[in-house]
Amino acid sequence: RAILDLDGMSMLVSAGGTREPIDPVRFIGNRSSGRQGVAIAVAAADRGADVTLLAANIDAAILADVEAHPGIAVTAVSSADDLERELTARAESADVIVMTAAVSDYRVDGASDQKIRKEDHPDGAPTLQLVQNPDILQGLAADRWPGQTIVGFAAETADSTDELLERGRRKRERKGVDLLAVNEVGWSAGFEQEQNTLHLIDAHDDVLRTVSGTKRQAAEGLLDTILRVRVR
Ligand code: C5P
């Protein structure tokens, strides 16, 4: 496809999953592969956007597509704190920010700068004290300029589509974003899969569209919907 309908658009995409250090060799992480975010970055650049991808712990094989792409600049991040710093530095110049990264809600308070050893805990297991990370997306949405579009993702488990959408509407409202892409995850859906289904909820809590297919197809549907939201 050679329709450059995103020509001139500057887009910031976060993808992957953050790692919160416990000590120099251990972390708290999650199962987000970064595939959906990478697919969005590649699809947007193919459509003419100028894309920056903030890649949180994405496998080199998955990143191969973006590293070869002339329209995408990649910066690696690891923790939520890293991601927030890199986003904050670039947010103002982005027309669209798409937050697909799975950001840890908590980090370890006072991560050890030495490896934690069993010998140091002869009487049992150490206790990890967690503290909350800031909600980066909520902050970006609160600080956005008129005309800037902020898109969030919500990976949710639910017993029914109705419940899924209800959770999505509440989350869209809480985060204050222009568009929220809700995708169902579970032991065998969403993460680490080639296929995806996204329910796209706008600022009026309307489900504008449900896109299903490969992560590339889901990405194209999301980009079409972002364009639709931006002209309103
Ligand atoms: O609340 P929940 O983690 O489900 O929200 C998911 C959305 O919020 C994603 O777009 C994710 O990138 C973003 N997020 C964030 N900062 C956090 C947690 C989530 O930006 N601390």
Side-chain angles (χ1 to χ4, degrees):
R1 136 163 30 201
I3 303 168
L4 298 177
D5 57 353
L6 304 186
D7 195 26
M9 178 187 282
S10 154
M11 187 181 283
L12 191 51
V13 181
S14 72
T18 65
R19 290 181 179 176
E20 308 304 319
I22 296 170
D23 68 18
V25 296
R26 304 185 179 94
F27 58 84
I28 297 172
N30 61 70
R31 292 175 55 209
S32 180
S33 67
R35 278 199 185 88
Q36 184 62 74
V38 164
I40 292 165
V42 173
D46 283 350
R47 289 166 68 161
D50 186 1
V51 181
T52 297
L53 179 73
L54 299 180
N57 310 297
I58 302 177
D59 218 75
I62 295 171
L63 270 186
D65 273 2
V66 290
E67 274 167 347
H69 204 299
I72 308 176
V74 185
T75 295
V77 295
S78 187
S79 64
D81 188 56
D82 291 342
L83 177 61
E84 185 176 35
R85 187 168 351 96
E86 298 296 338
L87 276 166
T88 308
R90 294 171 175 82
E92 207 178 316
S93 57
D95 300 308
V96 177
I97 303 177
V98 184
M99 283 287 291
T100 68
V103 183
S104 176
D105 291 323
Y106 306 99
R107 67 177 181 278
V108 177
D109 192 16
S112 170
D113 53 17
Q114 293 293 315
K115 186 179 168 188
I116 298 170
R117 297 181 179 86
K118 262 192 293 199
E119 307 88 273
D120 299 332
H121 299 275
D123 301 327
T127 301
L128 295 180
Q129 180 67 46
L130 302 182
V131 287
Q132 231 174 17
N133 277 329
D135 192 312
I136 304 171
L137 180 63
Q138 203 168 38
L140 291 169
D143 292 345
R144 74 178 173 286
W145 42 267
Q148 188 178 40
T149 307
I150 312 289
V151 183
F153 264 70
E156 299 286 348
T157 54
D159 293 327
S160 68
T161 303
D162 281 350
E163 186 196 329
L164 189 71
L165 296 180
E166 199 37 47
R167 285 184 189 284
R169 287 192 182 93
R170 286 204 297 268
K171 186 159 289 183
R172 209 281 318 147
E173 166 124 46
R174 185 152 27 89
K175 305 259 179 181
V177 293
D178 302 294
L179 196 64
L180 187 81
V182 182
N183 76 306
E184 194 171 342
V185 294
W187 295 111
S188 62
F191 289 161
E192 299 164 346
Q193 303 289 310
E194 295 298 340
Q195 302 280 314
N196 210 3
T197 296
L198 302 179
H199 304 280
L200 304 174
I201 300 177
D202 75 357
H204 310 286
D205 288 341
D206 293 326
V207 180
L208 291 182
R209 197 171 161 188
T210 293
V211 283
S212 270
T214 62
K215 288 189 172 176
R216 174 68 188 232
Q217 288 166 331
E220 300 286 0
L222 174 68
L223 294 172
D224 293 342
T225 309
I226 289 172
L227 281 177
R228 216 175 118 190
V229 166
R230 281 175 67 77
V231 296
R232 287 205 294 202

